[in-house]
């Protein structure tokens, strides 16, 4: 059985999370949560790369994830709790 190192990028969109790689032939996965996107990617990869064992390293596109999870935004959090956002940035 062959072994292949694959970097998988996890990003977020308005519909949930996606997983993709630039190391293979257009393999992707998606889901409402990160775990579902990872699982969908592994299923797709196993179908496309039969007989290849994957050594997957996940990388996260933090910009898209913070945009998706707007409640983690410093300005939004400060506004929600009623303080100046510069106090949270210290």
């Amino acid at each position: 059985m062959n072994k292949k190192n694959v970097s998988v990028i996890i990003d977020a969109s308005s519909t949930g999370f996606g997983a993709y790689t630039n190391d293979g032939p257009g393999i992707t996965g998606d889901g409402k949560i990160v775990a579902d996107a990872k699982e969908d990617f592994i299923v797709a990869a196993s179908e496309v790369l039969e007989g290849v064992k994957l050594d997957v390293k996940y990388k996260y596109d933090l910009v898209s994830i913070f945009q998706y999870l707007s409640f983690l935004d410093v300005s939004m959090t400060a506004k929600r709790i009623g303080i100046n956002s510069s106090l949270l940035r210290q």
Side-chain angles (χ1 to χ4, degrees), residues 10-12 14 16 18-19 21 23 29 40 44 46-47 65 73 77 79 85 87:
I10 304 292
D11 65 2
S14 61
T21 184
D23 298 334
D40 194 42
S46 65
E47 291 172 359
I65 291 173
D73 180 75
T77 301
K79 185 176 180 180
S85 63
L87 293 175

Side-chain angles (χ1 to χ4, degrees), residues 9-76:
I9 300 162
I10 304 292
D11 65 2
S13 70
S14 61
T15 58
F17 294 91
Y20 65 92
T21 184
N22 295 322
D23 298 334
I27 302 168
T28 64
D30 60 32
K32 293 284 184 193
I33 61 174
V34 172
D36 290 346
K38 287 179 176 181
E39 183 179 343
D40 194 42
F41 176 86
I42 295 298
V43 169
S46 65
E47 291 172 359
V48 173
L49 303 172
E50 267 185 69
V52 176
K53 181 170 174 33
L54 296 179
D55 181 19
V56 179
K57 303 282 189 237
Y58 293 102
K59 297 180 179 182
Y60 294 85
D61 177 0
L62 293 179
V63 171
S64 70
I65 291 173
F66 276 106
Q67 287 172 343
Y68 178 73
L69 302 173
S70 62
F71 63 88
L72 294 177
D73 180 75
V74 170
S75 297
M76 296 289 288

